[in-house]
């Protein structure tokens, strides 16, 4: 991949990278579109990164459909798909890991030990392989965005981190490759996450400024739904994920499927 990138760069062409784990949907494609608009060349990586899955998680089950992904990316006129094998990414003996520190510790970091170390390690390697000018991430994974911004800054990676808005279904459910796991009742129950964020944004708009009160709005809505088991619901500062702020973040299990969502409560909820 690096040789192709260097040839593009030698031609004076700018490169945008969209890292994904495949099973592509309209959320991924919105990042591809953004990348197209801002760069001469767009590269999409597809790699289901074993390092970012915990022992009891869904690595083996994670949806994979490379033929469909390739068709979607061809239709979107992507210039290259980078699809390294696990052996290329992590040859025997490759033990180096990238640990970002504080922003990676609470919330997702606490519920998924090692997850952000896996993400930071693979993103560092993808940046090294593709040498992009810009890289595109979804606000859907808000803490991941904060982790990658910190990583890029701390290690002077020289990549401009660009963030695309969350793409949702009409009733609010954030698109996710994991939504295919949901049965009909679970899919209905899963709308509690976006609905909780909508209600909390409504409370903010009505004048509520106490993060703890906004958090109670989130919890109150999630707990109405018996199929939803809450991992966390918090209202935090979007840069640190520690100080209080107005980013509402929720994670919950719906049946066996773990879902996350978030919304800047100072803004009206879309739709
Ligand atoms: P994944 O394949 O799940 O690792 O996601 C690849 C990229 O797509 C990440 O930067 C995600 O944040 C982003 N993404 C996933 N779902 C959405 C969505 N519904 N809207 C916008 N971006 C998304």
């Amino acid at each position: 991949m690096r040789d192709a990138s260097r040839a593009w760069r030698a031609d004076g062409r700018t490169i945008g990278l969209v890292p994904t784990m495949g099973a592509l949907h309209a959320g991924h494609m919105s990042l591809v579109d953004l990348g197209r608009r801002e760069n001469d060349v767009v590269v999409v990586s597809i790699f289901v990164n074993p390092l970012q899955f915990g022992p009891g998680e869904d690595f083996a089950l994670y949806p994979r459909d490379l033929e469909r992904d390739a068709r979607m990316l061809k239709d979107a006129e992507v210039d290259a798909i980078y699809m390294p094998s696990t052996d290329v990414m992590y040859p025997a003996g490759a033990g180096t890991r990238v640990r970002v520190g504080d922003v990676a510790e609470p919330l997702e970091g606490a519920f998924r030990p090692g997850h952000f170390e896996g993400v930071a390690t693979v993103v560092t390697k993808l940046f090294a392989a593709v040498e992009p000018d810009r890289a595109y991430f979804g606000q859907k994974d808000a803490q991941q965005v904060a982790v990658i911004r910190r990583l890029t800054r701390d290690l002077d990676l020289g990549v401009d981190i660009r963030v695309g808005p969350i793409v949702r279904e009409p009733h609010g459910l954030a698109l996710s490759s994991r939504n295919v796991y949901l049965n009909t009742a679970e899919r209905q129950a899963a709308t509690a996450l976006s609905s909780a964020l909508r209600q909390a944004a409504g409370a903010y708009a009505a004048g509520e400024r106490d993060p703890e009160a906004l958090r109670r709005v989130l919890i109150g809505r999630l707990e109405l739904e018996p199929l939803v088991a809450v991992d966390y619901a918090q209202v935090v500062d979007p840069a640190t994920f520690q100080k209080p702020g107005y980013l509402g973040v929720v994670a919950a299990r719906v049946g066996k499927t773990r879902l996350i969502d978030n919304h800047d409560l100072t803004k009206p909820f879309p739709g």
Side-chain angles (χ1 to χ4, degrees):
M1 192 65 234
R2 191 173 284 133
D3 292 345
S5 283
R6 292 202 168 153
W8 284 320
R9 194 178 310 286
D11 279 352
R13 300 169 80 186
T14 59
I15 302 168
L17 169 66
V18 184
T20 81
M21 299 202 297
L24 300 178
H25 53 64
H28 299 113
M29 300 314 289
S30 71
L31 298 177
V32 171
D33 288 346
L34 209 54
R36 263 261 77 90
R37 286 204 291 278
E38 296 184 345
N39 301 277
D40 300 313
V41 168
V42 176
V43 178
V44 175
S45 62
I46 299 180
F47 181 62
V48 185
N49 176 29
L51 226 54
Q52 70 188 69
F53 288 79
E57 295 185 1
D58 57 344
F59 174 70
L61 288 177
Y62 196 82
R64 293 162 169 89
D65 191 344
L66 291 177
E67 270 180 33
R68 181 169 169 277
D69 290 349
R71 263 199 315 276
M72 288 169 76
L73 295 175
K74 186 159 181 266
D75 289 348
E77 296 179 359
V78 159
D79 298 274
I81 306 175
Y82 179 48
M83 226 167 44
S85 67
T86 305
D87 293 349
V88 164
M89 251 333 183
Y90 304 117
T96 303
R97 299 291 180 263
V98 179
R99 188 161 52 79
V100 171
D102 54 6
V103 69
E105 278 159 17
L107 302 173
E108 283 303 284
F111 275 88
R112 304 184 68 188
H115 171 66
F116 284 129
E117 192 171 294
V119 169
T121 302
V122 81
V123 167
T124 304
K125 288 180 64 77
L126 291 170
F127 285 4
V130 178
E131 300 184 348
D133 296 280
R134 302 182 185 84
Y136 293 82
F137 296 90
Q139 176 62 21
K140 163 79 180 357
D141 297 274
Q143 194 174 2
Q144 171 172 280
V145 165
V147 166
I148 288 165
R149 284 196 192 286
R150 186 71 63 83
L151 160 74
T152 305
R153 191 188 74 188
D154 288 356
L155 296 188
D156 308 312
L157 298 182
V159 177
D160 185 6
I161 304 303
R162 310 284 292 152
V163 180
I166 302 177
V167 177
R168 299 179 179 281
E169 291 187 354
H171 52 270
L173 179 66
L175 298 192
S176 163
S177 303
R178 290 191 168 95
N179 290 353
V180 300
Y181 298 147
L182 301 170
N183 65 30
T184 309
E186 290 169 345
R187 180 171 280 270
Q188 175 60 37
T191 59
L193 279 77
S194 52
S195 165
L197 292 162
R198 180 184 281 114
Q199 285 188 8
Y204 183 94
E208 183 58 72
R209 293 294 182 274
D210 174 12
E212 185 49 37
L214 293 166
R215 177 179 128 78
R216 283 198 297 274
V217 173
L218 291 174
I219 299 270
R221 174 63 185 90
L222 290 167
E223 285 184 345
L224 286 180
E225 186 46 73
L227 288 180
V228 170
V230 180
D231 275 355
Y232 59 78
Q234 287 287 349
V235 181
V236 295
D237 167 60
T240 61
F241 276 76
Q242 276 160 337
K243 290 185 297 202
Y246 289 115
L247 184 73
V249 288
V250 295
R253 283 157 290 119
V254 184
K256 288 196 167 69
T257 307
R258 189 171 182 281
L259 300 176
I260 59 173
D261 200 351
N262 69 90
H263 182 69
D264 173 355
L265 302 180
T266 67
K267 307 242 164 70
F269 197 86

